[in-house]
Amino acid sequence: KVIPVIDLRVKFTLTQQDISSRTCIIVVDVALASGRVLMGIIVDRVSEVLNIGADEIEETPEFGDRVCTDYIKGMAKVKGTVKILLDLDRVLGTDDAALRAA
């Protein structure tokens, strides 16, 4: 099946990096205005995969005007560390300029 793929470095206007053996495409189910869509996101690497329950997610704290939290869904404490959770529906549901077929 052919699905659209978004490079998150392009999406967030970060410096391009060469594809390496650690580069991954993660397939996600995203809510768009047109409905739910399968898409891939290119990431530099994946260090772990976790299941986090809704009851474990805390609200995003206020960082003031210096930090944009528009794309953060919340925070979760897992095994003594804090994980920042991206709101993929917001990240991938805006600005299709980074979209390309894979």
Side-chain angles (χ1 to χ4, degrees):
K1 184 173 185 176
V2 176
I3 62 171
V5 174
I6 292 179
D7 185 335
L8 289 184
R9 286 190 160 277
V10 173
K11 178 73 176 174
F12 290 117
T13 61
L14 299 172
T15 306
Q16 291 289 33
Q17 232 180 353
D18 291 335
I19 302 292
S20 75
S21 61
R22 306 228 355 129
T23 304
C24 298
I25 297 176
I26 302 170
V27 177
V28 295
D29 183 16
V30 181
L32 300 177
S34 60
R36 299 215 61 90
V37 176
L38 280 180
M39 17 177 100
I41 53 175
I42 299 174
V43 297
D44 294 337
R45 66 181 169 276
V46 174
S47 57
E48 63 185 321
V49 177
L50 302 168
N51 287 319
I52 299 175
D55 59 328
E56 299 174 275
I57 300 173
E58 298 177 15
E59 293 288 319
T60 305
E62 290 295 325
F63 293 106
D65 293 338
R66 301 189 80 208
V67 177
C68 177
T69 59
D70 293 348
Y71 295 120
I72 298 176
K73 185 173 196 123
M75 312 286 263
K77 291 180 186 169
V78 178
K79 301 176 190 172
T81 63
V82 176
K83 305 295 182 184
I84 299 172
L85 308 175
L86 280 179
D87 186 340
L88 291 178
D89 291 341
R90 288 196 72 175
V91 170
L92 302 175
T94 60
D95 184 21
D96 294 332
L99 194 62
R100 61 185 164 115

